[in-house]
Amino acid sequence: MRLPTLRQLQYLTAVIEEKHFGRAAEKCHVTQSTLSAGIQDLEDLLEVGLLERTNRKVLTTPIGEEVAERARQILSLSDDLVDLAQAEKNPLAGRIRIGVIPTISPFLLPRVLPRIRKQLPQLELLLVEEQSERLLEQVEKGSIDVAILAFPFNTRNLNYRVIAEEPFWVALPKNHPLSSNDSLQPHQLPINELLLLAEGHCMREHAISACQLPASAQRRSVQATSLYTLIEMVASGLGITLIPHMAINSDMVRHAEISLLPLKQDELAKREIGLVWRPSFRRTSTLEALSQSFTAAMEESL
């Protein structure tokens, strides 16, 4: 029985992701005619139509979507197979693709990357910054190998390991009545002044959990897409917000005209930091070394 080739599966997934034959061919480093012929051969082999071709756009048939999803899984497993073989020769060398969420990357990476370069000089890191849900999708598809997320978060069927936890701090305008306190408890926060990240950012849910608030408790008229924007809003007197401990010594926070107070810690007033990877990803030595580096960098910041 003839079976699809990995190259044919790569062509199909590239076209579906790019929604354009020309861009897909560039991504696969082949000519457009080669890519088109490869997909046609795949359709002939499977005896189904995978794509609907028009002059203006490329549409995927229902069976094409399902085949593409299986193709991504097969390609991911193939990548893991190569990684496993390379890791057997030198576990702490080679390339590893890491995704990091925006509320971690600018604060943790400057601390941990010099450590990794020194301790693991033969390991090449490729870094991607994205929101949590998008990173999980990329881990599942094999676009990246490991994601660094904040928990609690639903990791579905992926493996994960918590490497550290950190408390939240309250950022207030300099002249805020509460800024003279030594610390604050969640019930002391003026909820009508609370500024949070927009929907889709996991730190939004973590902040709500830390304050033990209902999901609707915030200033709905003001939402930000980054911690930097939140800090600028607080400095301008628009409200208060919560920031993770790893951010308090960053230039962004130290140079802002704000007051910082610790949120009185309990089991909820914190978030956990951890690694997420596919069960099929077998570079355990690499994962262990990375976990140690990230844990050490987190401990230095606490």
Side-chain angles (χ1 to χ4, degrees):
M1 181 177 63
R2 288 181 60 210
L3 295 175
T5 66
L6 294 179
R7 180 61 71 180
Q8 290 170 337
L9 300 182
Q10 288 173 336
Y11 292 165
L12 176 64
T13 57
V15 169
I16 291 177
E17 289 168 5
E18 298 295 331
K19 294 180 173 59
H20 190 277
F21 275 85
R23 291 194 297 270
E26 291 178 6
K27 183 176 182 179
C28 295
H29 306 291
V30 296
T31 64
Q32 187 169 330
S33 59
T34 298
L35 180 134
S36 297
I39 293 179
Q40 184 63 60
D41 288 343
L42 178 61
E43 290 179 316
D44 293 343
L45 173 66
L46 298 178
E47 299 182 347
V48 293
L50 304 174
L51 301 174
E52 295 180 20
R53 301 160 177 84
T54 69
N55 291 332
R56 290 192 170 187
K57 56 186 176 180
V58 178
L59 300 175
T60 312
T61 65
I63 186 63
E65 288 285 357
E66 187 170 344
V67 170
E69 183 60 34
R70 301 288 181 89
R72 294 186 188 99
Q73 296 173 11
I74 292 170
L75 292 171
S76 176
L77 288 171
S78 299
D79 288 339
D80 290 344
L81 182 65
V82 175
D83 288 338
L84 179 62
Q86 292 177 341
E88 179 67 21
K89 293 184 290 185
N90 189 346
L92 302 181
R95 175 181 299 178
I96 187 166
R97 300 158 298 179
I98 301 179
V100 194
I101 59 174
T103 58
I104 291 179
S105 60
F107 314 115
L108 183 58
L109 292 184
R111 294 194 187 105
V112 75
L113 290 182
R115 179 188 297 273
I116 292 175
R117 281 194 292 267
K118 181 178 180 181
Q119 297 179 348
L120 306 169
Q122 294 181 288
L123 191 65
E124 179 186 1
L125 300 186
L126 298 182
L127 300 171
V128 175
E129 183 179 273
E130 261 291 358
Q131 294 184 20
S132 301
E133 190 61 37
R134 178 64 180 145
L135 288 181
L136 288 184
E137 292 173 0
Q138 292 187 44
V139 171
E140 289 174 331
K141 293 178 181 178
S143 302
I144 60 175
D145 302 308
V146 182
I148 302 173
L149 305 184
F151 300 103
F153 197 83
N154 180 11
T155 58
R156 302 195 278 268
N157 295 319
L158 297 171
N159 292 345
Y160 73 95
R161 175 192 294 184
V162 173
I163 59 174
E165 60 182 37
E166 64 171 349
F168 281 106
W169 288 61
V170 184
L172 311 99
K174 282 284 189 182
N175 60 354
H176 196 280
L178 293 175
S179 62
S180 59
N181 290 33
D182 294 328
S183 64
L184 290 173
Q185 296 185 8
H187 72 268
Q188 294 178 284
L189 300 180
I191 303 309
N192 61 331
E193 299 179 34
L194 185 61
L195 306 174
L196 296 177
L197 290 173
E199 294 282 355
H201 292 268
C202 61
M203 206 186 85
R204 169 190 174 89
E205 282 69 37
H206 297 156
I208 289 174
S209 176
C211 296
Q212 303 171 41
L213 304 173
S216 59
Q218 80 159 105
R219 292 184 59 184
R220 289 189 173 277
S221 60
V222 184
Q223 295 188 35
T225 57
S226 70
L227 270 177
Y228 176 81
T229 305
L230 280 180
I231 295 300
E232 289 299 308
M233 288 179 174
V234 173
S236 299
L238 295 179
I240 68 172
T241 195
L242 299 185
I243 63 173
H245 181 88
M246 67 171 64
I248 63 174
N249 291 318
S250 65
D251 290 341
M252 175 185 75
V253 173
R254 285 192 292 109
H255 297 154
E257 290 295 315
I258 61 174
S259 295
L260 286 174
L261 298 176
L263 187 64
K264 194 170 180 63
Q265 191 167 353
D266 60 22
E267 287 303 309
L268 294 176
K270 62 186 178 184
R271 67 174 184 172
E272 296 175 325
I273 309 299
L275 307 181
V276 179
W277 65 94
R278 295 180 300 281
S280 60
F281 186 69
R282 300 298 185 185
R283 294 181 61 179
T284 54
S285 298
T286 306
L287 286 173
E288 185 61 35
L290 288 173
S291 295
Q292 292 176 6
S293 296
F294 280 108
T295 300
M298 285 291 300
E299 290 174 348
E300 287 179 359
S301 69
L302 296 176

